Amino acid sequence: MPSEITMPQLSDTMTEGTVVKWHKKVGDKVRAGEEVADVETDKAVMQMESFESGTLAKILVKEGEKAAVGAALAIVATGSEKIEDAVAGQKSAPKKPDAPKTSDSPEKAAPSRPTSTPAGTATQKETAPKSPAKAPASPTVRYDFDIIVIGGGPAGYAAAIRAGQLKKRTLCVEKENLGGTCLNWGCIPTKALLEDGAFVRKLRTEAAGRGISFDNLKVDFSRPIARSRAIADKLSKGIAHLFRKNEVKHEIGMGKLLAAHKVQIIDKDGTRKEVSAENIIIATGARARSLPGIDFDGQKIISAREAMTLSNLPKRLAIIGAGAIGCEFADFYNAMGTEVTIIELLDHLLPIEDEDCSIVLERSFAKRGIKVFTKSKTEKVEKTPSGVRLTVSGIDGQTTIDADVVLMAVGVTGNVEDIAAKEVNLELFKGHIKVELGKYKTNVENVWAVGDVVGPPWLAHVAHHEAVACVEMICGLHPHGIDYKHIPGCTYTHPQVASLGLTERKAREESREVKIGKFPFSASGRALAAGESEGFVKLIFDKKHGELLGAHLIGENVTELISELVLARKLEATEAEIIEAMHPHPTMSEAVMEAAGAADGRAIHI
């Protein structure tokens, strides 16, 4: 006997809904409890389930059409009758809702669905019952979504897309543009700026040697800025396309955790609404932090975000902090013609990198006229009529540095402010959300956190892998583990720096017996042909077993070469296997093979 799938009532105020997508077509088999369609209200998208098994005989409401609560959406042939007979015997409910009764009506409106049917569940009624209907299964908790992701950066959008691929009803809440800081204000636009800076620098320093001459070179500073913004915008739109492709819902607003399964969304107009999910992933990222007593003003004291969109090229720029961000902006602004001074508290530029790489970068910066103050502490930053004045103390005493603008690049802190209601008691640690390493679970039931918001390493590729692993764990899969001791790091200065695993100093501090192979790009034919002979490849191996413990590269395009060593480490390749893997000639990658050979006394070209 045929039965109808009817529009469910997903909330107490719902009167109608829109069929977003049918997961079945006419003639398909339908199992009891199987999801057959997505229905959208003004609040959320929910999936409808069938109460009966049978064959989908007819779809009455097409995708994109509205129907009243209780209206028939489709007919299911549940017995041995022919599909056409099931359709002929069907009597559908009206698609348009009746006019609501006014508050002064003496008569209460009849309920639009059986009171025994749980909200958010598809109702299905028999049109010609000949026997008592089967009792529905015990109602289960129904949420608006399976997964809500708060944040749309490298962790957030990756989590949302992977959840969509796994057919989870997914919502991503992002306060600004999809892609987060990395795509819009970090990784991508800065690389565009660095490429333009390198192009200008080569015109200035290498043109004559390549037989190129010109007069009166001019640089329109606004054009590289505009190009970097256009690239970021294009990629952000690409993520929106991927959301549509994977049926991920997206809302612009601030997400706030209200309870274990509840999120509040506040849009730009201050309108608030609540949505629920079985699992919630927090991926709100991090932002630049400043030194105590020195506040960002966006004009004279700026963060990396403002450094990407300055309207005019500063004549003098001071940078506090010589990590990747500080060194990259030093590289770009120096190439564009700014007088750059960089100040670092620790012993070297890029202090977490192998010292050999840091020293080469310091020499390269010095040759280009960048002033480098290491082992130096910024004591005070004062605004002056012409800009800023920094008081710096170092090994040679105290000095003052005058600049038009100072860029603070001393690290980041997690975006945890107002991320959860006070009564949720979300546990924090040192400005980040506390999670169990490799599990990503917070102290709140079914609430997870990934990416920069959970602390270092603050890298987009780490955030991406954490997000995918987290979603796969939620979905009951067995994701690959992340080896946090061997995460590749890249700095896109010129020369570039790339690394993996232990530095030489760290390996020796751990009392490891090591073999070290080093191959300079000055001995690489391909590097010489490209005019990029600065730098080297340095590989650190376990002396006994040949295990790759660390890789440290400095030179042109080494941020691409490091991937080979990541894969080698993942596959537990030894130095012998790297040597024996045939590298094409002439390429920069031959330096990897030669460095492995140098560790074993088998290098050919040095």
Side-chain angles (χ1 to χ4, degrees):
M1 53 195 158
S3 66
E4 292 179 349
I5 298 176
T6 62
M7 177 63 74
Q9 186 166 21
L10 303 178
S11 69
D12 293 339
T13 59
M14 175 182 169
T15 59
E16 66 176 5
T18 303
V19 176
V20 177
K21 181 178 180 62
W22 282 102
H23 298 301
K24 296 289 184 180
K25 61 182 182 296
V26 172
D28 284 353
K29 296 293 184 183
V30 177
R31 298 189 308 274
E34 185 176 13
E35 295 169 345
V36 292
D38 292 343
V39 173
E40 184 176 34
T41 71
D42 59 340
K43 291 188 175 181
V45 174
M46 298 287 287
Q47 291 179 325
M48 295 196 308
E49 299 173 356
S50 175
F51 278 174
E52 299 288 342
S53 298
T55 303
L56 188 62
K58 186 176 183 179
I59 292 175
L60 302 174
V61 180
K62 298 178 182 179
E63 292 179 359
E65 292 183 347
K66 294 182 181 295
V69 168
L73 305 181
I75 306 167
V76 175
T78 60
S80 59
E81 74 273 17
K82 295 181 180 179
I83 290 179
E84 53 268 27
D85 294 337
V87 172
Q90 179 269 342
K91 296 180 181 179
S92 63
K95 290 185 181 180
K96 291 186 178 181
D98 295 330
K101 293 188 179 290
T102 60
S103 59
D104 59 353
S105 171
E107 193 177 335
K108 290 186 178 180
S112 59
R113 57 183 172 86
T115 55
S116 60
T117 303
T121 305
T123 60
Q124 192 162 349
K125 59 184 179 181
E126 297 187 359
T127 56
K130 295 181 181 178
S131 60
K134 295 180 180 178
S138 299
T140 56
V141 176
R142 291 286 292 177
Y143 299 105
D144 299 330
F145 296 93
D146 296 318
I147 296 175
I148 293 175
V149 183
I150 303 175
Y157 80 71
I161 289 172
R162 185 66 183 121
Q165 290 173 344
L166 294 172
K167 306 304 180 186
K168 296 297 180 182
R169 298 170 301 139
T170 306
L171 170 68
C172 181
V173 183
E174 165 57 42
K175 68 175 182 178
E176 292 183 304
N177 299 323
L178 290 175
T181 297
C182 174
L183 190 154
N184 294 285
W185 302 103
C187 314
I188 304 303
T190 55
K191 304 312 163 279
L193 294 176
L194 285 162
E195 287 298 320
D196 288 346
F199 181 76
V200 171
R201 188 182 67 253
K202 285 187 175 184
L203 286 175
R204 286 178 172 149
T205 62
E206 299 181 22
R210 296 173 186 253
I212 300 170
S213 61
F214 51 83
D215 296 317
N216 197 24
L217 174 66
K218 293 182 179 180
V219 177
D220 182 350
F221 180 68
S222 66
R223 297 299 292 272
I225 299 295
R227 191 178 84 89
S228 74
R229 301 314 314 150
I231 291 169
D233 291 344
K234 181 177 181 179
L235 290 176
S236 183
K237 291 175 183 176
I239 295 173
H241 165 73
L242 292 172
F243 274 12
R244 291 190 294 270
K245 175 182 175 182
N246 292 284
E247 301 182 7
V248 172
K249 297 294 179 183
H250 166 224
E251 291 208 27
I252 299 174
M254 294 286 291
K256 182 175 183 176
L257 185 66
L258 295 183
H261 299 277
K262 190 181 295 184
V263 171
Q264 181 185 72
I265 302 174
I266 308 171
D267 67 18
K268 62 181 180 180
D269 298 322
T271 303
R272 299 167 185 257
K273 70 175 182 179
E274 295 178 8
V275 287
S276 62
E278 184 174 357
N279 289 277
I280 297 166
I281 300 174
I282 302 174
T284 49
R287 67 184 184 282
R289 66 178 178 86
S290 185
L291 292 174
I294 304 174
D295 298 323
F296 294 114
D297 65 9
Q299 296 178 337
K300 292 184 177 181
I301 303 175
I302 65 173
S303 69
R305 182 160 179 158
E306 291 82 26
M308 274 178 273
T309 56
L310 290 179
S311 56
N312 297 299
L313 182 68
K315 292 182 179 179
R316 301 167 300 171
L317 174 67
I319 301 174
I320 303 174
I325 293 173
C327 286
E328 287 181 1
F329 277 110
D331 183 290
F332 168 68
Y333 277 100
N334 168 261
M336 300 303 287
T338 296
E339 180 185 312
V340 176
T341 302
I342 188 165
I343 303 134
E344 171 56 45
L345 179 64
L346 299 179
D347 292 357
H348 295 286
L349 299 181
L350 302 179
I352 67 170
E353 298 291 348
D354 189 274
E355 284 185 15
D356 286 356
C357 291
S358 297
I359 290 168
V360 169
L361 184 64
E362 287 166 12
R363 290 172 181 167
S364 180
F365 274 15
K367 287 178 186 176
R368 289 165 50 188
I370 298 174
K371 297 176 184 177
V372 176
F373 288 82
T374 54
K375 302 179 184 177
S376 299
K377 182 180 180 181
T378 303
E379 302 286 357
K380 187 166 52 174
V381 175
E382 301 171 283
K383 295 181 185 179
T384 66
S386 60
V388 288
R389 172 165 290 174
L390 293 79
T391 302
V392 177
S393 59
I395 54 177
D396 296 325
Q398 196 171 86
T399 187
T400 58
I401 299 168
D402 289 311
D404 302 311
V405 178
V406 60
L407 167 62
M408 301 294 296
V410 294
V412 299
T413 185
N415 290 319
V416 297
E417 289 76 14
D418 208 31
I419 191 63
K422 187 176 181 180
E423 58 269 22
V424 173
N425 292 318
L426 180 67
E427 189 173 359
L428 305 179
F429 179 73
K430 292 185 177 180
H432 295 83
I433 296 174
K434 185 176 181 180
V435 295
E436 186 179 350
L437 188 65
K439 306 254 185 201
Y440 316 116
K441 296 185 74 173
T442 71
N443 64 311
V444 182
E445 175 192 347
N446 283 33
V447 176
W448 315 68
V450 292
D452 288 0
V453 75
V454 303
W458 298 285
L459 298 169
H461 41 285
V462 174
H464 171 102
H465 280 266
E466 287 181 344
V468 171
C470 179
V471 169
E472 291 181 352
M473 276 190 278
I474 289 172
C475 295
L477 303 180
H478 300 284
H480 68 279
I482 297 175
D483 184 353
Y484 286 89
K485 293 181 180 178
H486 283 82
I487 290 173
C490 296
T491 303
Y492 297 83
T493 48
H494 295 85
Q496 296 177 355
V497 179
S499 61
L500 172 75
L502 298 178
T503 63
E504 180 179 352
R505 171 177 287 186
K506 187 64 176 176
R508 298 194 186 282
E509 286 175 354
E510 293 182 2
S511 300
R512 297 203 182 230
E513 289 191 67
V514 298
K515 292 193 295 186
I516 297 175
K518 195 172 181 181
F519 186 82
F521 284 117
S522 59
S524 164
R526 182 66 183 90
L528 288 166
E532 299 292 353
S533 59
E534 193 173 23
F536 55 79
V537 174
K538 177 180 179 180
L539 303 181
I540 303 170
F541 297 99
D542 176 81
K543 189 172 185 178
K544 183 177 181 181
H545 301 291
E547 173 191 5
L548 179 63
L549 300 176
H552 305 279
L553 296 73
I554 182 167
E556 190 64 14
N557 289 327
V558 296
T559 56
E560 303 295 334
L561 298 186
I562 194 66
S563 295
E564 173 185 347
L565 294 160
V566 173
L567 186 60
R569 170 68 190 178
K570 178 71 176 176
L571 298 179
E572 300 180 346
T574 64
E575 92 237 42
E577 289 168 322
I578 295 174
I579 295 167
E580 292 160 9
M582 190 178 294
H583 288 63
H585 175 77
T587 61
M588 301 284 281
S589 68
E590 286 176 290
V592 174
M593 176 184 68
E594 292 279 14
D600 203 35
R602 297 168 59 184
I604 299 299
H605 292 97
I606 53 172

